[in-house]
Amino acid sequence: MKRAASIFSVFGLLSGCGGIQSALNADGHAAATLRDLIFLIVGVSLVVWLAVSGVLIWSLFRRRRTPVQNEQATQRRLQLVVTIAVAMTVVIISWLTVASFRVTRTVGFDDDADLTIRVRAHQWWWQFDYEEAGLGGGFQTANEIHIPVGRNVRVKLESADVIHSFWVPSLAGKMDLVPGRENILIFRTDRPGVYRGQCAEFCGLQHSHMALMVIADDEPGYLRWAKAQRADADTPQNVDAQAGMSVFMRKQCAACHTIRGTPASGVTGPDLTHVGSRRTIGAGLLENTRGSLAAWVADPQTLKPGNNMPLVPLSSEELRQVSVYMEGLE
Ligand code: CUA
């Protein structure tokens, strides 16, 4: 089972920016229940398939007896076999239906949670609001969340535009984000780690570039992270970063992005207050380095065609300064 899980998790590792992404490599309680259901259904189906194939092969190769003689006995035997097969089919299908119904009814709907995060899906990025004071809330981030291990986390799911689906396979099942409606999903993991998730509902051109990272920390680590996120952005200390900040405020950047502690307060794009602390940019598109920040700002439409970020004309010097500034927003 472990080996199967590790083979499948290779797909998660290949999909970039690290992190486990496999429903078979389950580290969350909800995900483990779903994984057991997967193995139950696959196991039962395998047994049925082997039995049917066995009978088929046996009937192809068995010796034919002389016909007619015992027609009535053969008829009765056939009737019995068919009746047993139908009964077994009904029992097995009912069993799997009830098992899957019970799992989907119970998984991720526990009432209590220690932490609530409001998730708003956009074409094509994730907005996360840690809105409640419990466990240190009161800030917004994008495409990457931290959670404390051993705690139930409730995500309130909503959408700004079309239907998306929140899916972190190693932690929980999928849940849609539907415009005008709020869905709830509760999950929990006891193991620190980096878990990759992605949008699991086709939502347009860049659906495949709508990843998210969930980082499970021990509680002190999580609280440190939350405290740092709640703080306003640091005032840049070096000359390049200061110049980059002034470019950011002067050009269109500040109209769409918020950097808390500065005049930038746009709400169209992701909150960039601590963008430098994130692992990736562009919702899992690129690793977060100064080079990729510069590449993204220089030409977002080539890297991720159709997204809402316009090309802001900058000189190469301004581009360099802006990336230094953003890299420093940790
Ligand atoms: Cu959002 Cu697919």
Side-chain angles (χ1 to χ4, degrees), residues 17-223:
C17 66
I20 307 171
Q21 181 180 344
S22 165
L24 299 182
N25 207 335
D27 266 350
H29 290 215
T33 314
L34 289 166
R35 178 205 53 205
D36 294 346
L37 181 67
I38 293 171
F39 282 127
L40 173 72
I41 292 178
V42 171
V44 170
S45 309
L46 188 67
V47 169
V48 170
W49 180 75
L50 286 174
V52 172
S53 304
V55 170
L56 182 69
I57 290 168
W58 171 78
S59 63
L60 285 175
F61 289 101
R62 77 185 177 133
R63 275 245 202 82
R64 282 180 187 279
R65 295 210 190 86
T66 42
V68 187
Q69 224 171 15
N70 248 333
E71 187 132 1
Q72 266 196 340
T74 313
Q75 199 67 13
R76 267 203 305 277
R77 213 170 45 223
L78 266 179
Q79 236 164 26
L80 184 68
V81 169
V82 170
T83 311
I84 290 174
V86 168
M88 281 178 67
T89 308
V90 170
V91 168
I92 290 171
I93 288 179
S94 313
W95 173 33
L96 294 182
T97 306
V98 170
S100 105
F101 181 75
R102 281 184 50 182
V103 167
T104 47
R105 289 296 293 176
T106 53
V107 139
F109 294 101
D110 325 5
D111 284 328
D112 329 322
D114 305 296
L115 173 68
T116 300
I117 306 170
R118 184 175 291 279
V119 181
R120 199 165 164 78
H122 299 257
Q123 281 174 319
W124 295 277
W125 60 283
W126 304 90
Q127 178 186 336
F128 296 113
D129 276 294
Y130 286 65
E131 52 183 8
E132 287 175 21
L135 274 178
F139 56 87
Q140 191 185 105
T141 183
N143 302 326
E144 185 171 308
I145 53 174
H146 286 235
I147 59 169
V149 293
R151 299 282 202 161
N152 279 350
V153 177
R154 178 197 290 118
V155 286
K156 293 182 177 174
L157 303 164
E158 53 191 50
S159 168
D161 34 52
V162 298
I163 299 176
H164 304 263
S165 183
F166 181 90
W167 192 34
V168 187
S170 297
L171 297 182
K174 290 173 196 166
M175 180 67 80
D176 278 1
L177 303 95
V178 182
R181 187 195 151 94
E182 181 185 273
N183 283 337
I184 303 275
L185 185 67
I186 294 179
F187 59 87
R188 164 189 163 160
T189 179
D190 291 327
R191 199 178 307 171
V194 179
Y195 302 96
R196 190 182 187 276
Q198 65 185 62
C199 179
E201 178 78 46
F202 182 69
C203 56
L205 194 57
Q206 294 298 332
H207 157 69
S208 62
H209 290 142
M210 191 167 166
L212 68 137
M213 304 294 280
V214 178
I215 293 135
D217 298 322
D218 56 15
E219 197 152 316
Y222 165 76
L223 289 172

